[in-house]
């Protein structure tokens, strides 16, 4: 990983204005980010997009899972040996493990990897469990691996954010696949906006408790930046 950092720094020197942000999104190297940029991220509530954490690991795992599921389901021989969702779960877990190691295996990355591992292990064992049970299992595993994790603010913010998102997902029962594409896009945008505001409201007490400051622009800014960073910048980087 140190060799990769050195090679990227040498190759990108003077070529890209924001090459340091590319390094931050790919290998978790934040040393090139200035204080002014960190202040901008804090004021807009987007620091979590620059620091590799749950969203990034989950995104990479999902990309590996979806792509592998699509490709493996085309092989009858493989599917007779092991169903495509289970093979894809192995690929998703491997992708998350590789990206976690590339990012330096920091505590936020470890939390995210444990969550992903719980989900994909359930798929491998063909077990249907409630989302709340999966969240509690991931929480228990993290506490076993790192009993001092609750002393970190990110621990509480991560699990509370996931709990809010899971509660939204559990209450969303409409089948988007049956809707026309325009109505489906509008419905997805509404769900995304509602999720942003509910996560913002859910984390409001904790954010103020830990940091004594709030960004009222965060829900709107994240509505625009999360798809851009998650779907474009991270995979291309």
């Amino acid at each position: 990983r140190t060799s990769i950092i050195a090679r990227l720094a040498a190759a990108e020197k003077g070529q890209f204005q924001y090459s340091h942000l590319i390094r931050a999104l790919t290998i978790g190297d934040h040393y090139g980010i200035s204080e002014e940029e960190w202040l901008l991220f804090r004021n807009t509530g987007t620091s979590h997009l620059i620091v590799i954490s749950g969203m990034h690991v989950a995104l990479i795992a999902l990309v590996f899972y979806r792509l592998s599921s699509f490709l493996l389901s085309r092989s009858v021989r493989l599917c007779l040996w092991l169903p495509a969702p289970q093979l894809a779960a192995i690929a998703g877990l491997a992708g998350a493990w590789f990206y976690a190691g590339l990012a330096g295996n920091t505590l936020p990355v470890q939390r995210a990897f444990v969550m992903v591992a719980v989900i994909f292990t359930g798929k491998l064992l063909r077990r249907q469990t409630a989302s709340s049970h999966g969240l509690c299992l991931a929480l228990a595993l993290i506490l076993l691996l790192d009993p001092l994790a609750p002393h970190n603010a990110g621990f509480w913010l991560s699990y509370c954010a996931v709990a809010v998102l899971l509660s939204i997902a559990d209450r969303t029962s409409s089948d988007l696949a049956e809707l026309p594409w325009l109505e489906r896009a509008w419905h997805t945008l509404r769900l995304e906006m509602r999720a942003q505001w509910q996560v913002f409201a859910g984390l409001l007490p904790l954010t103020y408790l830990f940091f004594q400051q709030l960004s009222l622009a965060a829900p709107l800014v994240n509505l625009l930046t999360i798809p851009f960073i998650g779907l474009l910048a991270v995979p291309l980087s």
Side-chain angles (χ1 to χ4, degrees), residues 11-90:
E12 297 168 358
K13 188 175 182 180
Q15 295 184 24
F16 303 105
Q17 184 178 358
Y18 299 109
S19 59
H20 56 294
L21 297 181
I22 295 177
R23 293 200 307 274
L25 291 174
T26 51
I27 52 181
D29 177 20
H30 306 118
Y31 294 109
I33 301 178
S34 65
E35 283 297 325
E36 291 77 12
E37 289 173 321
W38 279 123
L39 181 62
L40 174 63
F41 297 143
R42 286 196 296 268
N43 289 341
T44 55
T46 54
S47 298
H48 65 101
L49 297 177
I50 303 302
V51 178
I52 295 178
S53 57
M55 188 195 76
H56 304 81
V57 177
L59 171 73
I60 296 299
L62 186 63
V63 168
F64 272 76
Y65 176 79
R66 293 292 189 187
L67 185 61
S68 301
S69 181
F70 174 78
L71 296 175
L72 293 171
S73 62
R74 299 299 184 269
S75 172
V76 176
R77 182 173 297 178
L78 276 177
C79 290
L80 288 175
W81 176 64
L82 196 66
Q86 290 182 282
L87 288 169
I90 297 174

Side-chain angles (χ1 to χ4, degrees), residues 159-186:
Y159 279 98
C160 288
V162 173
V164 172
L165 291 172
L166 288 177
S167 68
I168 297 171
D170 289 341
R171 295 197 303 267
T172 304
S173 58
S174 59
D175 189 1
L176 298 180
E178 297 180 358
L179 299 175
W181 72 269
L182 188 59
E183 189 175 349
R184 184 165 65 246
W186 170 244

Side-chain angles (χ1 to χ4, degrees), residues 188-189 191-194 196-197 217-228:
T188 302
L189 179 61
L191 289 177
E192 174 69 19
M193 293 177 64
R194 188 177 70 177
Q196 287 295 333
W197 282 107
L220 182 59
V221 174
N222 278 275
L223 183 66
L224 301 174
T225 53
I226 285 179
F228 175 77

Side-chain angles (χ1 to χ4, degrees), residues 192-214:
E192 174 69 19
M193 293 177 64
R194 188 177 70 177
Q196 287 295 333
W197 282 107
Q198 289 185 348
V199 168
F200 175 75
L203 297 184
L204 195 61
L206 288 175
T207 304
Y208 190 74
L209 176 66
F210 288 127
F211 306 113
Q212 289 79 49
Q213 65 178 17
L214 299 171

